[in-house]
């Protein structure tokens, strides 16, 4: 199956569209994303309002639907300020760098199967690459530049801190995100989005690769700077973060980029884990569900589901503390992703090389995991009892001249009373906090 | 046999219109960017131009049917390496006023020799590739990504593993260098909050009085009964004798209204 896919740098079924069709698709994606942004802003405000027992925007247009359009126009008419200390070229360039990749990433997202447009059979997807998912990662990493450069070029402290935070955040969470993709690649045998959707004809990867799905869902929130991971623009700590100094259209561009990114990562989640444009179970019984234009509807519904999760999270969770957030990314998400990847690769290799079927792998693998867990519990119990015994008789000796030069005590070491009445309490007194004057 | 070789050669030398357009657009851009990288004054601008050169190269790889290489070039170099580089530049704030004094003796000569050696290596390496023309189709036989994977994990596996071991060693070394032994137990959020409630006042200290006439960090706040609160002013100011009485600003106001001399 895979050999035919890989044989050419182009994915099968792509690269034969006439130029006007490609242009039309690209234009459609652009309009779709802009409209989705306007709609998502309105939807977010309405949903969050409902969660907080308010009504939300309801004046401009039917049910307030045109509110974000009105806000956008107002924003465009605001005064455009460039701070004196700003690095002008980079300051102007940053919002553009952040917006364009946001749109570009959507080019490889399949919105539907093969349909016929004006007599031309074509896929509902601008293009596909053998490395389409990696392409999305690459484009996203270019988009980060916009945020970092905005922070730096503003010539101000809070934006700089916000920009640096976002770099650290995006780089860290991109690792976990990339690892969560690998399981999908192994099962689909391809990195092209259309092939991944084709691979989910029987079983969606969110069931088959549930841990990958969870890891991706968490890291996609981190990747888009959304609550509860919106640390780069934590208004309690950093004013507005990287866009503090931005106003008017430049600010609007950042806003647009954020929402387009939200739509893109949701679309990617749909494509990789929720079967893309494939109809969900009860509807998939209908034979016409996965043909013609219907799949676009299923795709949109799934997309909206993810966007709703984004809004729901924002309405529910408080912002994480920065160090907790980083610890979670590096010490929980990445190790779990690596461990899971090891399991997936093993299962895959057993399946491919020795044709062991999935049920056997589950039974034996699950049994092995249980045994290991049990052993580790026993080990922990024994070790903790031994540690409790050891703690009684071992009081660490402190040698103030260890290694031939004066050294401070390590944690757990007792300091004998020194001349001059200095004690360990003095070394770090938690009661002396920053708000003491 | 000869017919296939000729075909492969023809395929290799034949450049499509699209590819040519991409090359003539990106080529000058890459050259300008890399020249600019050496000429601009600010270090951050220099880093940005380098990122642009890398992006141009990635586009060219993409245009030349090497999608994996192109995308990885962006992910790894532009996305990760340049980003960290930029990170450090922004934090440390390197600028053109840096000292040009040689700190290690003979460093310039060594650098020059290394550069020449590297250039030689590149020229001979690339020269070998262009004279022994294997053709894109042979390289991409069985697919671009699996072809690369095959080479990396079979023929070049030792070089690949050695490189990764080197990188891991470097990362561990950096961690060792940056590591600091803790001399006291880490103060957690819980410790802080317990300690806060142990002291006489669990809340933060009152802020200094801020009055309409001037910005008054040096003026104590007034308690509800009208007496000034000493803890509201920094101890440093008190020790220096720089604290002003809260009535200092009010006196002038009374002056202008009544004309009285207080």
């Amino acid at each position: 199956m895979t050999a035919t896919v890989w044989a050419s740098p182009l994915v099968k079924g792509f690269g034969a569209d006439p130029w006007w069709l490609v242009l039309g698709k690209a234009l459609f994606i652009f309009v779709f994303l802009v409209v989705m942004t306007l709609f998502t802003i309105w939807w977010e405000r309405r949903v969050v309002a409902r969660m907080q027992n308010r009504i939300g925007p309801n004046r401009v247009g039917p049910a307030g639907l045109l509110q974000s359009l009105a806000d956008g126009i107002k924003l465009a008419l605001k005064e455009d300020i460039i701070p004196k200390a700003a690095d002008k070229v980079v300051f102007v360039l940053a919002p553009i760098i952040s917006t364009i990749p946001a749109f570009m990433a959507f080019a490889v997202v399949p919105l539907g199967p093969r349909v016929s447009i004006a007599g031309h059979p074509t896929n509902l997807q601008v293009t596909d690459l053998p490395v389409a998912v990696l392409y999305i990662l690459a484009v996203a990493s270019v988009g980060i530049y916009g945020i970092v450069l905005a922070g730096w070029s503003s010539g101000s402290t809070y934006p700089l801190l916000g920009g640096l935070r976002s770099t650290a955040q995006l780089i860290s969470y991109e690792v976990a995100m990339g690892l969560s993709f690998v399981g999908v690649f192994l099962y689909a045998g391809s990195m092209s989005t259309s092939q991944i959707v084709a691979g989910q004809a029987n079983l969606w990867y969110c069931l088959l690769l549930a841990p990958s799905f969870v890891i991706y869902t968490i890291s996609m929130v981190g990747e888009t700077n959304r609550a509860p991971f919106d640390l780069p623009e934590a208004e309690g700590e950093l004013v507005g973060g990287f866009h503090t100094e931005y106003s008017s259209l430049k600010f609007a561009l950042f806003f647009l980029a954020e929402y387009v990114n939200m739509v893109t990562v949701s679309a990617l989640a749909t494509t990789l884990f929720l079967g893309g444009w494939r109809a969900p179970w009860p509807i998939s019984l209908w034979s016409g569900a996965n043909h013609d234009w219907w799949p676009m509807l299923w795709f949109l519904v799934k997309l909206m589901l993810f966007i709703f999760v984004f809004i729901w999270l924002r309405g529910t969770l408080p912002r994480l503390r920065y160090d907790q957030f980083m610890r979670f990314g590096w010490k929980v998400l990445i190790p779990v992703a690596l461990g899971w990847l090891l399991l997936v690769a093993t299962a895959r290799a057993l399946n491919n090389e020795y044709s062991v079927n999935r049920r056997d792998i589950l039974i034996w693998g699950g049994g092995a995991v249980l045994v290991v867990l049990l052993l580790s519990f026993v080990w922990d119990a024994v070790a903790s009892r031994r540690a409790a015994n050891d703690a009684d008789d071992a009081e660490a000796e402190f040698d103030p001249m260890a290694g031939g030069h004066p050294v401070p005590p390590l944690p757990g070491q007792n300091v004998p009373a020194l001349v001059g009445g200095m004690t360990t309490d003095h070394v770090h007194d938690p009661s002396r906090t920053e708000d003491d004057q | 046999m000869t017919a296939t070789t000729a075909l492969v050669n023809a395929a290799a030398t034949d450049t499509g219109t699209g590819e040519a357009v991409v090359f003539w657009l990106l080529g000058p851009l890459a050259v300008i960017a890399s020249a600019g990288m050496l000429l601009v004054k600010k270090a951050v601008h220099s880093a940005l131009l380098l990122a642009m050169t890398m992006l141009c190269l990635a586009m060219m790889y993409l245009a030349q049917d090497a999608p994996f290489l192109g995308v990885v070039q962006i992910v790894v170099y532009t996305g990760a390496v340049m980003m960290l580089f930029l990170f450090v530049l922004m934090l440390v704030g390197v600028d053109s006023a840096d000292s040009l004094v040689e700190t290690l003796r003979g460093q310039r000569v060594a650098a020059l020799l290394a550069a020449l050696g590297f250039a030689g290596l590149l020229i001979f390496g690339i020269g070998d590739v262009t004279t022994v023309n294997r053709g894109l189709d042979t390289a991409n036989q069985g697919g671009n990504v699996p072809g690369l994977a095959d080479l990396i994990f079979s023929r070049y596996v030792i070089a690949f593993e050695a490189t990764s071991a080197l990188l891991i060693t470097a990362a561990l070394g950096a961690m060792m260098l940056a590591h600091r032994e803790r001399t006291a137990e880490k103060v957690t959020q819980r410790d802080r909050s317990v300690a806060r409630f142990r002291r006489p006042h669990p809340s933060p200290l009152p802020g200094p009085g801020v009055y309409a006439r001037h910005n008054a960090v040096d003026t104590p706040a007034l308690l509800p009964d009208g007496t000034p609160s000493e803890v509201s002013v920094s101890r440093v100011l008190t020790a220096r004798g720089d604290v002003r009485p809260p009535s200092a600003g009010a006196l002038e106001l009374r002056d202008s209204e009544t004309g009285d001399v207080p």
Side-chain angles (χ1 to χ4, degrees), chain B residues 116-182:
Chain B
L116 281 178
F118 186 62
L121 212 64
L122 276 185
I123 290 166
F124 286 120
I126 294 171
D128 181 50
V129 170
T130 43
T131 47
V132 185
N133 196 339
R134 295 204 180 86
L136 188 65
D137 289 341
T138 330
N140 272 348
Q141 203 174 36
N144 182 264
V145 184
L148 266 175
D150 252 3
L151 281 180
I152 288 175
F153 291 110
S154 58
R155 196 167 145 198
Y156 295 109
V157 69
I158 295 183
F160 186 67
E161 293 295 329
T163 315
S164 75
L166 185 72
L167 287 177
I168 290 173
T169 316
L172 284 180
M175 278 170 74
M176 278 300 295
L177 287 177
H179 181 69
R180 188 170 57 94
E181 202 88 40
R182 261 189 195 287

Side-chain angles (χ1 to χ4, degrees), chain B residues 2-251:
Chain B
T2 45
T4 39
T5 328
L7 236 167
V8 165
N9 280 341
T13 49
D14 210 27
T15 309
T17 336
E19 200 181 321
V21 170
V22 167
F23 176 79
W24 287 110
L25 272 179
L26 291 178
L29 215 59
V31 172
I32 291 171
S34 43
M37 186 199 104
L38 298 172
L39 296 177
V40 291
K41 273 186 184 160
K42 275 191 183 163
V44 171
H45 288 175
S46 194
L48 276 183
L49 287 167
L50 184 58
M52 185 169 149
T53 314
M54 286 172 172
L55 277 181
C56 288
L57 288 182
M59 294 289 172
M60 285 189 202
Y61 297 154
L62 282 175
Q64 291 184 325
D65 288 348
F68 186 77
L69 192 60
V71 167
V72 164
Q73 162 96 2
I74 299 181
V75 173
V76 176
Y77 287 99
T78 321
V81 176
M82 275 318 290
M83 188 57 86
L84 287 179
F85 205 65
L86 210 59
F87 205 107
V88 173
L89 280 183
M90 286 174 179
L91 272 183
V92 180
V94 186
D95 56 17
S96 56
D98 275 346
S99 155
L100 292 173
V101 176
E102 226 180 16
T103 40
L104 299 173
R105 275 178 60 153
Q107 192 189 13
R108 276 179 208 173
V109 180
L112 193 71
L113 282 178
L116 281 178
F118 186 62
L121 212 64
L122 276 185
I123 290 166
F124 286 120
I126 294 171
D128 181 50
V129 170
T130 43
T131 47
V132 185
N133 196 339
R134 295 204 180 86
L136 188 65
D137 289 341
T138 330
N140 272 348
Q141 203 174 36
N144 182 264
V145 184
L148 266 175
D150 252 3
L151 281 180
I152 288 175
F153 291 110
S154 58
R155 196 167 145 198
Y156 295 109
V157 69
I158 295 183
F160 186 67
E161 293 295 329
T163 315
S164 75
L166 185 72
L167 287 177
I168 290 173
T169 316
L172 284 180
M175 278 170 74
M176 278 300 295
L177 287 177
H179 181 69
R180 188 170 57 94
E181 202 88 40
R182 261 189 195 287
T183 53
E185 296 284 351
K186 192 177 180 189
V187 184
T188 62
Q189 205 167 6
R190 187 186 166 80
D191 294 338
R192 282 181 193 280
S193 106
V194 167
R196 179 165 299 153
F197 277 90
R198 288 249 167 85
R199 48 180 209 195
H201 49 89
S203 64
L205 292 173
V210 174
Y211 299 95
R213 312 287 317 257
H214 65 301
N215 191 2
V217 222
D218 56 351
T219 316
L222 292 180
L223 293 172
D225 61 353
T227 52
S229 161
E230 273 169 29
V231 283
S232 70
V233 185
S234 166
R235 279 178 311 199
V236 179
L237 288 179
T238 317
R240 262 204 246 146
D242 277 348
V243 179
R244 312 208 303 169
S247 54
L251 287 173

